[in-house]
Structures are given as structure tokens and as C-alpha cells.
Amino acid sequence: MTLHDFRFDVDDAGIALLTWDMPGRSMNVITERVMDELDSVIDQVASSEHIKGCVVTSGKESFSGGADLTMLQALGRQYDENAKAGNPEAAMQAFFDGSRRLSVLFRKLETCGKPWVAAINGLCLGGAFELALACHYRVLAETDKARVGLPEIKVGLFPGAGGTQRVPRLMQTGDALQMLFRGEQIRPQAAKSMGLVHVLSPLAALVDTAKTWIAAGGKGVAPWDEKGFKPPSGKVYSPVGMMTWPPANAIYRRETQDNYPAAKAILQSVYEGLQMPIDIGLRIESRQFAKILRSREAAVMIRSLFLSMGELNKGARRPKDVPLTSIKKIGVIGAGFMGAGIAYVSANAGLEVVLIDQSQEAADKGKAHSHKLVTDQIGKGRAKTADRDALLARITTSADYESLVGCDLVIEAVFEDRAVKAEATRKAQAVLGPDVIFASNTSTLPITSLAEVVLRPENVIGVHFFSPVEKMLLVEVIKGAKTGDRAIAAAFDFVRLLKKTPILVNDARGFYANRCVFAYLLEGHKMLLEGVPPAMIENAAKQAGMPVGPLSLTDEVAIDLCRKVLVAARQDLGDSAVDQAQMDLLDTLVVTEGRLGRKNRKGFYDYPEKGPKTLWPGLQALRPTRLDPDAIDVTELKQRFLVAQAIEAARAMEEGIVTDPREADVGSIVGFGFAPFTGGTLSYIDGMGVSQFVLLCDKLAKAHGPRFDPPGLLLDMAKDHETFYGRFNAKAA
């Protein structure tokens, strides 16, 4: 038996240890060769009389991240080739067999007659955790880095190697469905209490604990293979079942709006599988998995949220010939909400931070934000007091710009006003000199104009975080007209230290993300003024796939900030740069009514101190006309929300603001929540077909105005039947 990705040893007691340690990789992944080798090991364990059982563990810091999704993509390409060869039935059979190979392999392990133990030393996700679930006993290291979970739903798939059958046989059906739908990484103590693992162990004793169970007579039979086994929630058709499944179906509809086929497949696989013996249940799961694997939603979500995002996180757009920037200490000017958030994530990444504001009191208030965030983590059992003390020790507050001495990078996060930003920049440069990389967290003001006040504009770059900083993954790295590669590289290196996703954006008002966001907000405001009921606006947006409605999002951004953006655009670009009806609406809310959004508990919604938010009744008086809800085309409302953003993304590509479809798609999903099931703004257009998208734009423009007119780029692409990923030759195509 020749092994490349595993080491196999048998001790004197006859207990085998299979160590998964793929050469040349930082993390183990499931590949064709891994499956081949595991198959051989199962045969060896099952056929050798002197082997009592086997422990499988990892030789790396993590156990495994799961299956190599490029392997699954290859199955689809092979199916297309086989189908074109003229035998679609054989092509489908080969595709089905290939897609369920891992499921069959794990079932072979589970029924080989010898006990298997998973000794999970770190991160164990997806197919790797399904391997652990197929083992007869699971020991999980009690460390901060250990996690288990089935996150496939986040890339448009679902667990297809037994996860939907074994998890509901280990815990209550409702809990199992929540776990499968959420796809979260589960910490050791929670995994133990949920019944996903049998025992927690110190890392140093992990393998010994696993071996001890086998030596003590652990059986190589899964609970569901024992005679008389009953799932924890009993039969599907039972009083308990009837209290579970109708609500589960309603929750699925509410949470997914039926936009995610993989979520529906989970529901169906668990529902049907629990009514059958495990082997039939696994086949039901495999049928659903093969179907989902060929879906458009899975293809684009894998491309954007796994492949493209992985490439961008590794620095695909970073200048290649610039050495890695050494960043150990940063300065943050402005201790408001954004500056405080940047200080927190930087200190959390291990960097020394100098937090500057106009007064010591204001700077200390910004630092208190970090104290609160870590305290919240402590309350949830995700951090310790010592972690908080160490993080806070890395943040120095001051009102004196001299405190910035020694910083490798300075980030300005002051009020969104060109004069205020210019003053902060001059003060910092007077202390640090012209060679320091100076970043601005501006959300709308062009970087080129902000760089005019410094001696070396090539060292100025935009680093646009999204709010709240500690939660949002996207950061726009904005290149000004004179920004140099050294500044770009430094910004990328900084963002990657924070474990966030950077996209490179050329300078323009609103950059990329905010342009699309404001197009979304405008559409919601226009609908309100047209007479569409506010609740219908919000619900239609969620049905389209957006995380929150445009009215709610306006409140979160702050209505007065949206108004200031429009005022600044009018001052710089003229009256044509703003929609007057929208301007009038925001004027009424902010100036007349004093409604600023969530921050003062009054916006499109009312925010009581106790209880959920509710739409402000006064919105009725702001609607010049009122449409009959039954006469409104909800499908068109949904189209308007998505098309408005996608058109803006296409314009950004046409203008060279974004140049890589991967960045447009990933940025749209993780930056402002553009319907993930579409794969992103440009994948939405490609998926519909550019010609069809142009026709839809023309239809909407005729009904609602020139903001829906397709740009010349789309017209050219439609003429030549092109796609964004084809025309721009993205590596992620």
C-alpha cells in the first residue's frame, strides 16, 4: 500500500494511526488521490486480523477544510464533455457516481467492521467533518483553534457525503436543520453539548484518548446501524414531527425567499431521509447533491465566494514586484465610530495602534469601543479577560500628533469633509515626513483630490472600510491618479493582516461599492414617492435577495449622511448629479422632521428602546400618490433593485473604476450584500445573458426613466454575445 497524503502506522496493541498530512499544502483537502488512498487504508484495516481499529488524525495544525471544490467543478465539465459525445444517460450516470463517491467511501468506512475514531486536532469542516461523522467515535481537541462544521450552504452547496443523514440522527431535527442551514463553525464545548463529538481532550492527549477508546472495546457499529435505532426526534409523521416540519418549512421560506436551491435540498434530504434506513437516506442525499452541483446558483457562488474570494485574499491584485511591507505599528486619526473600529481590528490582528483625536477624552472614548467589543466576546465565552487586557495594551490614545512617531502606516478616519481631512493629513505629515504611507478611510471623496495636500501623492491611498468594521469583510483599496505601487502593496498587506478581503478600485466619487449602494437606496426612495407601500418595498427587496430593505439600510447608513453625500455631489458636479425628488425626501426627513436614522432612533423606522423597530407612520404623508398594492408588479420591483445595482457595476467596469469581474462580484456580495445566489453584480448579468439584460434595462428605462439606460459597454457586449468573465479574461472564469 503506497501512500502520499497519509502516514499509516500500527502499534504493538494492534491499533492503527492514520495521519493525514498532504505534502506541499498548508491544509489538508479531499482530492481524488486522497479518496483513493483512504479507500486502500479501509481495505487494509478491514482485512488485517491483527488490526483492532484505526484512529485518523492530521499532521497539520488543522484537520482539514473539506473537499477541493475544483474537483467538484471538474465533474461538471466532464459531464458536459460526455453529454456532447452523444450519450447523455451514460454522462449523467458517471456524474452521479462521481458526485457520490465520497458518500459511498465514508459508508464503506462506517460498515467495515472495525472501529474508527476521528481525533480532530483543529479546524474540521465540510467533507472532512463528514468523514469524522462516519467514524464511530469522535475526539475533539479542547483548543481555541478547533472548530467543526458543515459550511457548504455558504457556497451554494450542501453536505453531500452523509451530513444531512448523520447529523439529524445525532440531535433533534430542529437543531440539526438550524446547523445545516447556518453552516457555522462550532466551537469544541458547543460541539460536545450538541452531540456532534463524544469527548473533548487536551491536544497533547488527543491520539491517546482515541486509542484508549478502541483498546477498551469500542464497537465499529454506528448507532443508526444498531437494531431498534430511533432518531432523537422520533418519526417524521408523529406529534413531535408535526411540531417540527411545518415551522421548518416556513422558516426556510422566510430566510431564503426560495432563492437558494441548496437550502431546499437540505430540507428535502432530511425530511425524506429520516423516513428511510440510512443507506436509502444517503442515496436520497446523493440525488439531491448531484442536482445542486449542476445548478447555476452553485456554480456562481463557488466561483465568487470560494475561488475568486480565495484568490483575492491571497493578494491576486497586489503589485507583484513590491516586497512585503513590514507593518507593526499604525496610526489612526479620528476616534469616531469608524476610526475606533479600525483601531480594534488592527489591535486584534496584533498591531500596535496609536489612536488620535482632537482631545484625550475623545480618543479614550474611541478606545472604550474596543473594550466593549472584547467584553461582549468574553460574555459569549469567545475570549478571556487576558485577551482583552492584551488587546487594550496595544492601543495608545492621544490628542498629540507627535505620538504618531514610529508608525509604519497612518489611516485618516476623520469627518467626511475635504478641509477637515486636509488638516489632519498636514499635521500627520509634519510629524512623520513625506515617506510614510498615508491612507484615507473616505467613503465618497476622491483620493486624488485628498492627495493634493501632501508632498508625495504617490504615497497616498484610499483604504475604505465598511461599517461595522469588525464585522464587514470587504475593504476597497482606492488608487488615486498618482498613487504608486508601494502604497498599493502596503494597503493590501495591511488589509490581509486584518484577514479582510481587499479589492482594487480606481479613483472616482463613491468608488465602486457606494455607487451601487446609493443606486439601491435611490430605487427604494423612488418607489416610496411613486406610492408603493413601505412594507412592500422592504419585502420585495428581501425577496430579491438583499439582506435588508433600502429604507432600513438608509437608516443604518444615517439619513443625514446620505443627504450630505448628495449635497457634496451637487456642489462638485452640478444639479444633474442628484435626483431632486430624492433630495426633497431626505430634506424633509432630516431638516423638517429631524429624523436622522437609527442613530437618533428616528428615521424611516421608529426605534423604541424596547421592542422591535416599526415603520414610521408619518411615511404615509410623504407619499404624493398611493398605489393599489394588488396592482403592483412585485417581480418588477425585485428586478429594479437588482438591475439598478448591476447597471452601476457595469458602468464602473466601463469607466475603469473596477477592472476585474472577480472584484466586482466578490465586492458586491461581501461589501453590500448583493443577492449572493446570483454570484454578484456581473455574474447576475452574465447569468441572464447580456442581451436579455439589455432588453430588461430598456423595458425598465421606458417605464421608470433613463437611470436604467444600459451603458455602451453592455450594448457592445450584447452585440457580440460576450460575457464579463469572457471579455475581461478573468482568471476565475
Side-chain angles (χ1 to χ4, degrees):
M1 184 173 62
T2 302
L3 300 177
H4 298 277
D5 297 326
F6 294 92
R7 297 191 300 274
F8 184 73
D9 302 289
V10 183
D11 65 16
D12 294 339
I15 299 175
L17 177 63
L18 181 65
T19 305
W20 192 0
D21 196 359
M22 301 177 76
R25 288 181 180 264
S26 59
M27 181 179 286
N28 297 319
V29 295
I30 298 171
T31 63
E32 291 284 353
R33 190 170 75 181
V34 164
M35 288 191 284
D36 290 340
E37 293 185 10
L38 182 58
D39 200 359
S40 298
V41 172
I42 295 170
D43 288 338
Q44 180 78 6
V45 171
S47 62
S48 298
E49 292 184 4
H50 70 285
I51 296 180
K52 294 180 180 179
C54 184
V55 175
V56 57
T57 191
S58 169
K60 301 186 185 299
E61 187 176 285
S62 296
F63 188 86
S64 168
D68 181 354
L69 294 186
T70 59
M71 175 181 68
L72 298 179
Q73 284 188 315
L75 283 173
R77 290 193 294 269
Q78 188 62 51
Y79 166 79
D80 291 337
E81 292 176 9
N82 292 342
K84 288 177 182 176
N87 194 338
E89 289 186 9
M92 181 52 71
Q93 185 64 54
F95 178 80
F96 179 69
D97 292 342
S99 67
R100 75 183 303 248
R101 184 186 175 193
L102 202 57
S103 179
V104 172
L105 180 63
F106 291 167
R107 184 59 175 159
K108 178 180 178 179
L109 178 152
E110 191 172 51
T111 58
C112 75
K114 299 284 182 72
W116 282 72
V117 182
I120 306 168
N121 60 307
L123 194 69
C124 180
L125 303 175
F129 187 51
E130 289 178 289
L131 165 62
L133 291 171
C135 291
H136 307 98
Y137 198 71
R138 290 169 290 284
V139 184
L140 178 60
E142 198 168 13
T143 70
D144 290 337
K145 294 183 178 180
R147 300 283 190 280
V148 299
L150 299 169
E152 290 90 338
I153 191 70
K154 295 185 176 182
V155 291
L157 292 174
F158 76 99
T164 69
Q165 301 307 303
R166 294 187 176 95
V167 169
R169 287 169 169 81
L170 288 172
M171 64 174 74
Q172 295 290 325
T173 303
D175 295 335
L177 288 172
Q178 283 194 45
M179 175 190 165
L180 294 167
F181 283 154
R182 290 176 178 171
E184 295 174 342
Q185 297 183 16
I186 302 168
R187 294 169 182 268
Q189 193 58 54
K192 172 71 166 57
S193 64
M194 293 166 73
L196 294 171
V197 300
H198 295 88
V199 66
L200 304 181
S201 166
L203 182 60
L206 188 70
V207 172
D208 288 341
T209 302
K211 286 187 172 183
T212 298
W213 182 80
I214 294 176
K219 294 196 303 181
V221 181
W224 34 87
D225 288 323
E226 298 272 13
K227 187 176 180 180
F229 169 78
K230 294 181 180 179
S233 292
K235 295 181 179 180
V236 169
Y237 287 97
S238 67
V240 173
M242 290 304 100
M243 292 177 65
T244 300
W245 286 102
N249 191 57
I251 292 169
Y252 154 77
R253 293 279 180 179
R254 183 191 69 196
E255 295 299 318
T256 71
Q257 302 294 334
D258 215 16
N259 287 324
Y260 295 87
K264 189 172 184 178
I266 289 173
L267 203 64
Q268 193 164 346
S269 296
V270 176
Y271 175 75
E272 294 181 4
L274 283 177
Q275 299 179 61
M276 301 291 176
I278 184 73
D279 286 304
I280 298 177
L282 290 170
R283 192 169 184 86
I284 289 169
E285 176 191 79
S286 294
R287 288 172 57 195
Q288 291 292 335
F289 185 71
K291 176 183 176 182
I292 296 304
L293 192 56
R294 295 189 62 239
S295 69
R296 167 73 188 173
E297 290 84 355
V300 294
M301 288 181 74
I302 289 172
R303 181 173 69 184
S304 292
L305 295 176
F306 179 74
L307 298 176
S308 295
M309 194 165 176
E311 290 162 358
L312 296 175
N313 285 340
K314 291 174 183 176
R317 299 282 286 142
R318 181 190 185 277
K320 303 299 181 187
D321 56 349
V322 179
L324 186 67
T325 313
S326 176
I327 301 176
K328 297 180 180 179
K329 182 179 180 180
I330 70 161
V332 179
I333 304 174
F337 187 65
M338 291 301 293
I342 296 169
Y344 167 75
V345 297
S346 300
N348 195 45
L351 298 175
E352 297 293 323
V353 180
V354 178
L355 184 59
I356 300 283
D357 211 301
Q358 290 181 325
S359 68
Q360 185 66 45
E361 182 183 7
D364 290 341
K365 184 178 179 181
K367 183 174 180 177
H369 180 67
S370 291
H371 185 282
K372 180 183 183 303
L373 290 174
V374 187
T375 301
D376 289 345
Q377 293 296 306
I378 293 171
K380 297 174 183 177
R382 297 176 182 175
K384 301 175 182 177
T385 303
D387 298 325
R388 180 178 62 195
D389 294 342
L391 185 145
L392 293 176
R394 290 192 287 271
I395 303 176
T396 301
T397 58
S398 177
D400 185 357
Y401 277 70
E402 291 290 337
S403 302
L404 294 173
V405 171
C407 287
D408 304 305
L409 172 74
V410 174
I411 304 165
E412 163 271 302
V414 299
F415 185 69
E416 195 76 358
D417 180 276
R418 188 174 280 106
V420 176
K421 290 180 180 293
E423 181 184 4
T425 303
R426 289 192 191 96
K427 287 182 177 180
Q429 187 171 263
V431 173
L432 294 167
D435 291 332
V436 71
I437 301 299
F438 198 91
S440 174
N441 182 55
T442 180
S443 57
T444 55
L445 298 175
I447 293 300
T448 301
S449 64
L450 296 178
E452 292 173 354
V453 301
V454 301
L455 296 175
R456 294 185 181 169
E458 66 269 23
N459 290 337
V460 177
I461 191 154
V463 180
H464 177 215
F465 289 86
F466 293 78
S467 180
V469 178
E470 67 275 7
K471 293 182 179 179
M472 300 299 287
L473 291 177
L474 185 72
V475 177
E476 287 181 309
V477 175
I478 302 142
K479 178 183 178 183
K482 297 181 179 180
T483 301
D485 282 353
R486 175 172 166 262
I488 296 172
F492 269 82
D493 294 339
F494 171 59
V495 172
R496 292 172 66 197
L497 280 174
L498 306 184
K499 293 183 169 56
K500 294 186 180 293
T501 299
I503 64 171
L504 185 60
V505 180
N506 285 312
D507 200 13
R509 180 174 295 276
F511 314 122
Y512 168 63
N514 278 348
R515 281 181 58 163
C516 297
V517 168
F518 273 87
Y520 174 59
L521 299 183
L522 172 62
E523 215 52 42
H525 301 161
K526 297 287 281 187
M527 289 177 186
L528 181 69
L529 296 172
E530 290 167 11
V532 179
M536 181 175 283
I537 294 171
E538 299 289 85
N539 288 331
K542 292 177 183 177
Q543 289 173 17
M546 298 301 295
V548 295
L551 307 183
S552 179
L553 183 58
T554 308
D555 281 357
E556 296 294 334
V557 172
I559 303 175
D560 60 326
L561 177 59
C562 293
R563 179 177 175 274
K564 286 173 184 175
V565 170
L566 294 184
V567 169
R570 172 178 279 168
Q571 289 174 346
D572 291 350
L573 304 175
D575 291 342
S576 62
V578 302
D579 183 287
Q580 188 57 48
Q582 182 188 32
M583 189 80 238
D584 292 342
L585 173 64
L586 299 187
D587 278 344
T588 300
L589 288 166
V590 174
V591 180
T592 306
E593 301 290 343
R595 305 187 70 86
L596 310 183
R598 179 183 277 276
K599 66 182 182 181
N600 79 332
R601 298 184 178 276
K602 298 187 299 181
F604 286 97
Y605 286 79
D606 284 322
Y607 299 87
E609 290 191 13
K610 294 183 180 180
K613 67 182 182 183
T614 56
L615 283 160
W616 178 44
L619 291 179
Q620 300 300 328
L622 302 184
R623 298 161 60 199
T625 59
R626 298 188 186 185
L627 300 177
D628 176 6
D630 292 333
I632 297 172
D633 185 348
V634 176
T635 297
E636 184 181 86
L637 297 183
K638 291 157 60 176
Q639 289 172 339
R640 286 172 63 181
F641 283 129
L642 297 187
V643 170
Q645 297 175 79
I647 283 181
E648 204 59 42
R651 291 185 184 122
M653 290 291 290
E654 182 179 57
E655 296 167 21
I657 296 167
V658 181
T659 60
D660 189 325
R662 294 175 298 177
E663 293 179 300
D665 277 344
V666 172
S668 67
I669 295 174
V670 303
F672 50 92
F674 186 85
F677 68 91
T678 67
T681 47
L682 300 187
S683 285
Y684 171 67
I685 298 174
D686 280 356
M688 185 183 301
V690 177
S691 297
Q692 288 300 312
F693 184 79
V694 166
L695 290 175
L696 178 56
C697 289
D698 290 339
K699 174 187 171 185
L700 293 175
K702 184 178 294 185
H704 301 286
R707 66 185 181 279
F708 285 106
D709 285 338
L713 173 63
L714 287 178
L715 298 177
D716 290 343
M717 291 174 63
K719 189 192 317 176
D720 297 330
H721 305 289
E722 291 181 291
T723 65
F724 278 99
Y725 279 84
R727 182 183 180 106
F728 292 91
N729 196 28
K731 293 181 180 178

